[in-house]
Amino acid sequence: MKARLYIAALHFNKNSYRDQAVNKNGEPIYSISYPKGRKGAGIPKEVKVQQTYILMEEVVKVRLEWGSYRNSRSNREAAMRNYPAPIADSYPHVPKTELVERHICRFNIKCRLSIN
């Protein structure tokens, strides 16, 4: 279920900013909609280009190659172990309490005066 949810979200994001379709002459294509709220007045709506199903094609390829979600996930996790550590890990980490104290002190005049 989690994998299906992820694929649905990625598919929506991939296809949410599609371009407007054009005809053979290069003119944009519109369709007419008649919503009840306009009491019969027509509204032109842009016709978008066809959706892409690249993600579904990739899912089918992975399914055929690895057989199951569990196998493909364990393979991905094994491959992830070969990547270098994130850049953020190379910097010293300041404790959360100190960061909060600095933030509060930054906006508090009394706190700034006591530090100087």
Side-chain angles (χ1 to χ4, degrees):
M1 288 300 290
K2 192 186 286 190
R4 288 181 182 189
L5 179 67
Y6 291 158
I7 291 170
L10 289 171
H11 176 75
F12 177 82
N13 290 341
K14 171 80 174 149
N15 291 297
S16 60
Y17 295 106
R18 292 180 286 152
D19 294 329
Q20 186 174 2
V22 293
N23 61 13
K24 293 177 183 177
N25 299 330
E27 299 167 350
I29 301 173
Y30 292 93
S31 67
I32 305 298
S33 175
Y34 298 96
K36 290 181 181 178
R38 296 285 182 152
K39 297 185 170 105
I43 297 176
K45 291 187 174 183
E46 297 177 350
V47 174
K48 303 290 185 177
V49 295
Q50 188 68 22
Q51 293 184 17
T52 60
Y53 294 96
I54 295 170
L55 292 173
M56 287 306 296
E57 292 169 3
E58 289 297 320
V59 167
V60 170
K61 282 197 309 192
V62 167
R63 176 75 171 152
L64 292 173
E65 184 177 348
W66 298 104
S68 70
Y69 175 72
R70 181 174 287 150
N71 291 342
S72 64
R73 184 173 177 157
S74 64
N75 182 56
R76 181 183 59 93
E77 289 171 355
M80 293 294 284
R81 289 187 213 116
N82 297 332
Y83 287 110
I87 294 175
D89 289 349
S90 63
Y91 292 100
H93 292 282
V94 180
K96 183 178 180 180
T97 53
E98 187 177 332
L99 290 174
V100 171
E101 189 177 310
R102 281 190 212 164
H103 180 72
I104 292 171
C105 192
R106 178 177 168 211
F107 296 106
N108 190 348
I109 294 174
K110 293 177 188 176
C111 182
R112 283 190 285 171
L113 293 175
S114 66
I115 291 175
N116 296 333

